Amino acid sequence: MSLESLLSLEDVLDATGGVHVLGTGNFSFHSVHTDSREVLKGGLFVPLIGEVQDGHSYIPQALEKGASVVIIRMENYEKAPDFFTELSQKNPDVFFVAVENTLHALQSVAGRYVEKFPNLIRVAVTGSSGKTTTKEILAAILSRKYDLVCNEGNLNSETGLPLSVFKIRKEHELGLFEMGMSRKDEMAEISAVLKPRFAIITNIGTAHIGNLGSRENIASEKARIFDHFHSFGTAVIPREDDFASFLETQVDGNVVFYGEGLDEGITSVMDCGLEGTSFKVDGHDATLCLPGKYNFRNALGAIAMARVLDVSSEEIAKGISSLKPMFGRSQVLHGKYTVVQDCYNANPDSMEKALDLVSSLGEGTKRILVLGDMLELGDESKAEHERVGILASHSGASLVLFSGDEMKAAYEAFKSENNAAFCEYVPGKSDGAMEKIASLVLSAASEGCVILVKGSRGMRLERVVSMISEAN
């Protein structure tokens, strides 16, 4: 029995304003891809145009993989009609749809697909930091009550979110999707895809401030997640955030604030250091395996949303306790040394929180820091890295290693602030640089010490962790 197409040709044309230019036969697609290497047989391929590459050049590879539908840019089609005609002659059953902008077409098609599920409870999570962690905590809770679908990892961007919603199926009761943005209008675009009726904001920080210019602009962009509430939605907002009042004014619907001390049912809170936080939810024992006060605050946001969605206290506690550490996100690796692998992402907010965690450890704990570049900070980069250097100088660490290009400013600030503590700067992010860092760590490490490895994803600091683990 043949699978039903995710959308009809009429749906695609109506959603995108596109034109069916080539292809005959039965229109059908069962998956959606923007990477030709990942195309599945019977998939829709959407070639995107970036600053360096034009995805249209990979259409032949997508067809070899079995793509059944390709969305192309009309300008490309008009400039090289023979190229597309030849492809069509070799693949007559493949439908080509020409549109003005392939990224916007991907988003429009995804939005039309979501409309096929009017009964789906649509929940979104955003924030400058902590959004993936909050989403994972909430997923662990909500999956105990609902048949749940959510995006994998942090596929939350202008392309990641649209691709993620194609995972929705008729059996799903609730869709939980993380939404990220790094430029103006991106949140508005992806919010229009999902049209969430419930949304959590974790915080308003400085991630991507290089593109957006100010925290005020970041707050305004994040608030676009509320665009489709239309009096019926509920926003869950952190009370302690200094943009909380502004965010509240942007909500056309209900507002629930969260934070320490706001939920009377959360009691017996105990910070267990690197083992996480234990507490009770209306008398039910819960243990959050992720360390740090900031992760506990993320859990409070998830709990607040779970209460809005009528999840019982017992299910909330069990859901939180079932959570497993995520790769590179406050991941504690035990052995001769305790390694805190927090290298999936980094911005000034998350870096400060990670340093606070290390600083809070007992005085008898030896600490080593490996800090990598925080990317996409624009004109703010030098000042923010200098601030990290100053924070690191007061962390109580016996060794601090700064890695990358931007971290040179942190190294210099550290030296100015604290000449007594040992630190070193290792430029770049090559394998050789990682090997040097690992060697320095291992030469200084002793049994029982805590090693924090923190940096932006582009630094790939997990290479250092792998080298340390071989000796751990």
Side-chain angles (χ1 to χ4, degrees):
M1 185 177 66
S2 61
L3 294 173
E4 179 184 354
S5 180
L6 296 180
L7 289 172
S8 67
L9 175 60
E10 292 72 21
D11 282 330
V12 172
L13 296 179
D14 184 53
T16 64
V19 179
H20 171 209
V21 292
L22 295 166
T24 59
N26 295 319
F27 179 91
S28 178
F29 67 93
H30 314 295
S31 58
V32 183
H33 312 272
T34 58
D35 187 333
S36 62
R37 296 167 296 184
E38 298 177 356
V39 171
L40 301 176
K41 184 175 177 58
L44 165 64
F45 177 58
V46 185
L48 301 177
I49 300 173
E51 295 180 2
V52 178
Q53 289 189 324
D54 184 340
H56 288 75
S57 62
Y58 295 99
I59 293 175
Q61 290 92 319
L63 296 178
E64 289 178 10
K65 286 278 194 173
S68 58
V69 181
V70 182
I71 290 180
I72 60 176
R73 187 172 69 158
M74 180 64 80
E75 182 178 331
N76 288 58
Y77 177 68
E78 291 175 340
K79 284 183 176 179
D82 292 344
F83 169 73
F84 292 99
T85 299
E86 183 178 345
L87 288 176
S88 182
Q89 288 173 345
K90 293 179 180 178
N91 305 272
D93 295 335
V94 175
F95 280 71
F96 288 81
V97 175
V99 300
E100 182 177 349
N101 181 299
T102 55
L103 171 61
H104 293 163
L106 170 65
Q107 294 169 344
S108 297
V109 169
R112 179 59 59 89
Y113 182 70
V114 173
E115 291 174 5
K116 292 181 62 174
F117 306 93
N119 295 324
L120 184 75
I121 301 169
R122 303 184 302 277
V123 185
V125 181
T126 195
S128 294
S129 61
K131 51 186 175 290
T132 301
T133 299
T134 301
K135 182 205 70 180
E136 294 295 333
I137 296 172
L138 187 54
I141 297 171
L142 295 180
S143 62
R144 306 191 78 83
K145 178 179 174 67
Y146 297 99
D147 195 324
L148 181 71
V149 59
C150 57
N151 39 4
E152 297 176 1
N154 66 338
L155 286 174
N156 60 21
S157 64
E158 60 188 5
T159 57
L161 187 278
L163 291 174
S164 293
V165 302
F166 283 106
K167 293 177 59 182
I168 300 170
R169 296 294 183 265
K170 61 183 179 181
E171 65 267 21
H172 292 133
E173 300 171 304
L174 188 148
L176 171 62
F177 293 93
E178 176 185 339
M179 291 185 174
M181 60 91 187
S182 59
R183 61 167 174 82
K184 190 176 186 302
D185 296 328
E186 185 173 1
M187 182 60 71
E189 291 172 13
I190 60 178
S191 182
V193 171
L194 184 64
K195 296 182 176 63
R197 285 295 175 87
F198 302 89
I200 302 177
I201 290 186
T202 61
N203 64 345
I204 302 299
T206 53
H208 309 296
I209 198 168
N211 295 336
L212 292 159
S214 68
R215 289 184 68 217
E216 287 76 14
N217 290 342
I218 291 171
S220 294
E221 290 297 320
K222 292 291 186 186
R224 299 300 301 274
I225 201 169
F226 308 137
D227 277 1
H228 300 276
F229 277 15
H230 306 312
S231 301
F232 296 107
T234 298
V236 175
I237 296 171
R239 168 63 82 184
E240 65 184 22
D241 195 283
D242 50 357
F243 282 89
S245 296
F246 167 77
L247 292 172
E248 182 181 16
T249 67
Q250 304 303 298
V251 179
D252 181 14
N254 303 312
V255 174
V256 172
F257 289 105
Y258 73 91
E260 293 185 49
L262 294 183
D263 187 332
E264 294 181 355
I266 306 300
T267 59
S268 304
V269 179
M270 179 179 296
D271 186 344
C272 302
L274 293 179
E275 302 307 313
T277 305
S278 66
F279 56 99
K280 293 181 182 293
V281 183
D282 296 323
H284 299 282
D285 291 328
T287 300
L288 177 70
C289 66
L290 305 176
K293 291 181 179 179
Y294 56 100
N295 280 319
F296 178 59
R297 285 194 289 270
N298 293 334
L300 291 177
I303 292 169
M305 179 59 80
R307 291 196 186 280
V308 169
L309 295 169
D310 295 323
V311 182
S312 72
S313 302
E314 183 178 6
E315 288 171 323
I316 290 172
K318 287 182 177 179
I320 288 174
S321 298
S322 71
L323 183 72
K324 304 299 181 185
M326 296 156 282
F327 170 76
R329 297 179 186 276
S330 303
Q331 187 178 13
V332 180
L333 308 175
H334 294 284
K336 180 180 178 182
Y337 324 118
T338 300
V339 181
V340 181
Q341 184 175 226
D342 201 352
C343 52
Y344 200 90
N345 204 357
N347 57 55
D349 309 295
S350 64
M351 187 68 81
E352 180 178 356
K353 290 167 181 172
L355 291 173
D356 283 345
L357 171 63
V358 172
S359 300
S360 70
L361 300 177
E363 290 186 8
T365 303
K366 183 175 182 179
R367 285 154 275 191
I368 296 175
L369 307 180
V370 177
L371 306 179
D373 285 352
M374 302 178 293
L375 304 177
E376 298 184 15
L377 295 181
D379 294 339
E380 302 291 325
S381 184
K382 186 173 186 293
E384 291 293 354
H385 281 85
E386 287 175 341
R387 191 169 74 89
V388 166
I390 294 171
L391 290 172
S393 73
H394 298 287
S395 66
S398 59
L399 170 64
V400 182
L401 300 173
F402 298 98
S403 173
D405 298 323
E406 303 297 322
M407 273 294 170
K408 185 176 183 181
Y411 167 74
E412 292 172 347
F414 184 105
K415 294 291 286 184
S416 298
E417 189 77 8
N418 188 346
N419 285 317
F422 182 71
C423 69
E424 188 157 341
Y425 169 61
V426 180
K429 56 181 179 181
S430 66
D431 288 344
M434 299 300 110
E435 289 171 3
K436 181 176 181 180
I437 291 169
S439 176
L440 289 167
V441 169
L442 290 172
S443 65
S446 56
E447 187 169 355
C449 76
V450 174
I451 305 166
L452 170 69
V453 183
K454 175 74 175 173
S456 281
R457 189 74 195 95
M459 290 297 296
R460 293 173 54 218
L461 290 178
E462 67 273 11
R463 291 174 291 170
V464 173
V465 177
S466 295
M467 295 172 196
I468 295 172
S469 297
E470 291 177 2
N472 199 12

